Amino acid sequence: MTSKEKLQRKVSVYAKGEKTLMDASQQQRHLLLLPLLKLFVKWRITPNHLTFLSFLCGLSFCFTYALNWHLAKPLAFCLLTLHVLLDGIDGPLARLTGTAGNRGSFTDTTSDQLVVAFTTMTMIHYGLINVIPGSLYLVFYTLVVVFAMIRSSLAIPYSWLIRPRLIIYSWLPIEVYLLPNTLNYLLWFFILLLCWKSITGFYKIRKKL
């Protein structure tokens, strides 16, 4: 294996199952979004631009949700939705421009994790979730992401992973408008799964070292 191949392996951030699903999803999004992607290329918009804009939208959710304005919450949810949509476009754009690689995946994952951290703290601050499940969710989510990178660098990637951020984001309007006090239960379910993957990730890494 060349040094370049080793580097590519070391910065991988995905489980085997994630990568398989992602490849299929990327192909479908490429076909669906091709006219838009060509416009981005024409306007010299890069995947990094989209990743940064996606991060700003996710961060803006946190500040917009706090505004004392009757449309603040719907606007905040729209920004969070835009964060997710932009996050799903940067990959196909990278493939179209021939810049897809683990470096972009690492940047994208870091951006996503920062948004997870800020949105979770926002949810705790405004009482959408309790401190204990919110904190545990953030800790185990971060551990799983870090362990995924370490395991890939050791050539023992996870066979599968669950990253429930999109489900949590989707449940936020339900929590606010339809079923209050239900998000904590959903968090506890995902905490158990993330805790299990953290334990197995730690065990595999320790065994390999």
Side-chain angles (χ1 to χ4, degrees):
M1 181 180 292
T2 66
S3 59
K4 183 177 181 180
E5 289 173 334
K6 290 179 180 179
L7 179 60
Q8 287 284 66
R9 189 187 72 187
K10 287 182 179 179
V11 295
S12 177
V13 294
Y14 301 110
K16 292 179 180 178
E18 282 183 305
K19 194 173 187 310
T20 300
L21 290 174
M22 185 182 305
D23 289 342
S25 174
Q26 290 273 17
Q27 292 176 2
Q28 295 299 320
R29 278 179 283 161
H30 174 83
L31 294 175
L32 181 64
L33 300 171
L34 187 56
L36 179 61
L37 297 177
K38 288 182 177 179
L39 281 177
F40 286 155
V41 173
K42 182 179 179 180
W43 296 337
R44 297 185 179 180
I45 296 175
T46 69
N48 284 336
H49 292 150
L50 294 182
T51 299
F52 183 65
L53 185 57
S54 173
F55 170 73
L56 289 181
C57 289
L59 192 62
S60 296
F61 160 83
C62 305
F63 298 102
T64 306
Y65 190 87
L67 295 177
N68 187 20
W69 179 41
H70 70 288
L71 291 178
K73 288 182 176 60
L75 177 58
F77 293 139
C78 287
L79 287 168
L80 196 57
T81 301
L82 187 57
H83 156 71
V84 173
L85 292 175
L86 289 170
D87 185 47
I89 298 175
D90 55 3
L93 181 60
R95 288 197 171 197
L96 180 65
T97 57
T99 57
N102 286 325
R103 181 178 296 176
S105 297
F106 175 74
T107 303
D108 188 52
T109 299
T110 301
S111 172
D112 292 344
Q113 190 59 30
L114 286 172
V115 173
V116 168
F118 285 122
T119 53
T120 302
M121 289 186 287
T122 298
M123 289 188 286
I124 292 174
H125 181 76
Y126 291 103
L128 294 172
I129 56 177
N130 294 333
V131 174
I132 293 178
S135 300
L136 289 175
Y137 168 74
L138 186 54
V139 167
F140 286 122
Y141 202 127
T142 304
L143 274 178
V144 163
V145 171
V146 172
F147 285 169
M149 288 187 282
I150 296 174
R151 287 189 58 163
S152 292
S153 72
L154 296 174
I156 49 170
Y158 280 109
S159 58
W160 64 274
L161 275 181
I162 181 168
R163 306 193 196 203
R165 64 187 183 95
L166 298 183
I167 299 175
I168 298 300
Y169 295 160
S170 300
W171 198 266
L172 274 173
I174 298 175
E175 168 72 21
V176 172
Y177 297 116
L178 297 176
L179 299 172
N181 303 316
T182 57
L183 188 54
N184 280 309
Y185 296 106
L186 189 62
L187 275 182
W188 278 115
F189 171 73
F190 286 124
I191 287 168
L192 292 176
L193 292 179
L194 291 169
C195 178
W196 171 249
K197 298 306 291 185
S198 297
I199 292 172
T200 58
F202 174 83
Y203 172 77
K204 289 288 186 179
I205 293 169
R206 189 175 186 277
K207 185 177 180 180
K208 184 71 173 182
L209 295 178

